[in-house]
Amino acid sequence: MVQTALIMLGVGLFAGIAGAILGIGGGMIITPILTLGMGLSIKYAIGASIIAVIATSSGSTIAYLRDNVLNLRVAMFLEIATTIGAIIGALMTGILDPKYLYLLFGCLLVFSAWNMVRKLRQGQEVLKRVTPDRLAAKLKLNGSYFDKAELRDVDYQVENVPAGFAVMFGAGVASGLLGIGSGAFKVMAMDTFMKMPLKPSSSTSNLMMGVTAAASATVYFFNGSILPGIAVPMALGILVGAVIGSRIMQVLPARWIRIVFIPVLLYIGLQMVFKGLGVQLFS
């Protein structure tokens, strides 16, 4: 029991650091480790993952709020879509066969890896348009932050608000269904569709993940999917890791972190896809 708790603590520490840096949530790392590495049923792995996502969000958001990196108005507006989606996704878990959860989760991991590759290739961000977006200006979604890596203030504008809102609904469904923060979709919605810089997108995603996960956590609690012996030590490790990761994210270029995690996400994602198909590709 003590050994298991220490392992969960270590896994949580790693997941918290990675989740805070990439804005993808510790659940994307924890669920594959618990299912593929420890043989835990995906039902209980998803329950622990939901708690992990809330812990990641809590630990990292404190630092991001203090340093004024995340965009609170964007988070609260888009959370309407993700919360509704999360409740719908959580209710769908009792309907789907577990193999489909493996397939969906694996595909999501592969997609996240592709999204990171795209980030490595993208050039200089366009932070200001000649004509500001009317809806974004009306909702006061535009913002600014101090980049500790570049040592300068960065002002940016938000656009394509309806498209970002629609993607956020899908992110909420994925969160409730798979027990993750679906941060890859959240970051993609803000960075790709709404043209926000990467660091505010990642930090805002961390805040939103916790709110989204909390909306579906009640469902998992009452259906018995959350095991305290696994979730508690893991959450403690994640809280510490998330604080560390939030500091690292602000002072280091994100491209180096992405380079490390791309092959990891691809490997785990493919493992879960083939597990869902009933094929053991890797030993």
Side-chain angles (χ1 to χ4, degrees):
M1 182 65 71
V2 175
Q3 184 179 4
T4 301
L6 290 176
I7 293 175
M8 293 299 98
L9 195 68
V11 171
L13 183 67
F14 172 72
I17 293 174
I21 291 173
L22 301 176
I24 61 174
M28 297 196 69
I29 299 168
I30 285 173
T31 299
I33 290 177
L34 292 179
T35 55
L36 298 175
M38 303 184 66
L40 190 68
S41 169
I42 193 168
K43 172 185 176 181
Y44 299 113
I46 289 177
S49 181
I50 279 286
I51 301 302
V53 170
I54 297 174
T56 302
S57 174
S58 301
S60 59
T61 297
I62 294 173
Y64 292 142
L65 275 172
R66 184 168 53 245
D67 295 332
N68 198 31
V69 180
L70 63 81
N71 191 319
L72 191 58
R73 293 187 70 90
V74 168
M76 293 300 98
F77 174 71
L78 295 180
E79 198 56 57
I80 297 172
T82 53
T83 300
I84 295 174
I87 295 174
I88 294 174
L91 294 174
M92 290 173 61
T93 55
I95 302 174
L96 290 179
D97 188 287
K99 68 180 181 181
Y100 296 115
L101 294 180
Y102 281 109
L103 287 171
L104 286 171
F105 206 102
C107 290
L108 185 59
L109 287 170
V110 173
F111 169 80
S112 297
W114 172 85
N115 196 50
M116 291 182 190
V117 172
R118 186 185 61 81
K119 292 295 182 183
L120 291 175
R121 294 179 176 178
Q122 81 174 22
Q124 184 67 29
E125 294 175 304
V126 179
L127 303 180
K128 281 187 172 294
R129 300 195 311 166
V130 176
T131 304
D133 185 280
R134 287 186 178 181
L135 185 56
K138 186 175 182 179
L139 295 174
K140 299 180 180 179
L141 302 181
N142 300 324
S144 64
Y145 71 101
F146 180 76
D147 193 312
K148 293 185 178 180
E150 300 182 8
L151 299 177
R152 67 183 180 93
D153 290 314
V154 179
D155 298 321
Y156 61 89
Q157 294 178 352
V158 177
E159 57 183 90
N160 297 330
V161 177
F165 193 87
V167 174
M168 286 297 181
F169 175 78
V173 173
S175 176
L177 183 62
L178 300 175
I180 59 173
S182 60
F185 286 121
K186 288 180 170 68
V187 174
M188 178 188 69
M190 288 180 278
D191 180 59
T192 303
F193 291 93
M194 302 175 72
K195 307 302 182 190
M196 288 175 59
L198 178 59
K199 290 188 177 181
S201 297
S202 177
S203 57
T204 302
S205 171
N206 270 291
L207 169 62
M208 295 180 65
M209 284 187 301
V211 181
T212 305
S216 55
T218 304
V219 177
Y220 286 95
F221 177 78
F222 283 108
N223 67 17
S225 298
I226 298 177
L227 299 178
I230 292 177
V232 172
M234 185 172 292
L236 292 175
I238 285 175
L239 282 171
V240 176
V243 174
I244 297 173
S246 64
R247 294 303 183 188
I248 295 175
M249 193 276 281
Q250 295 188 59
V251 298
L252 292 179
R255 66 173 285 111
W256 299 111
I257 308 299
R258 295 184 192 281
I259 289 173
V260 173
F261 279 94
I262 284 172
V264 175
L265 289 178
L266 273 176
Y267 176 80
I268 299 176
L270 290 175
Q271 277 274 35
M272 297 205 76
V273 168
F274 283 99
K275 186 177 181 67
L277 294 173
V279 178
Q280 189 66 30
L281 182 63
F282 305 113
S283 58

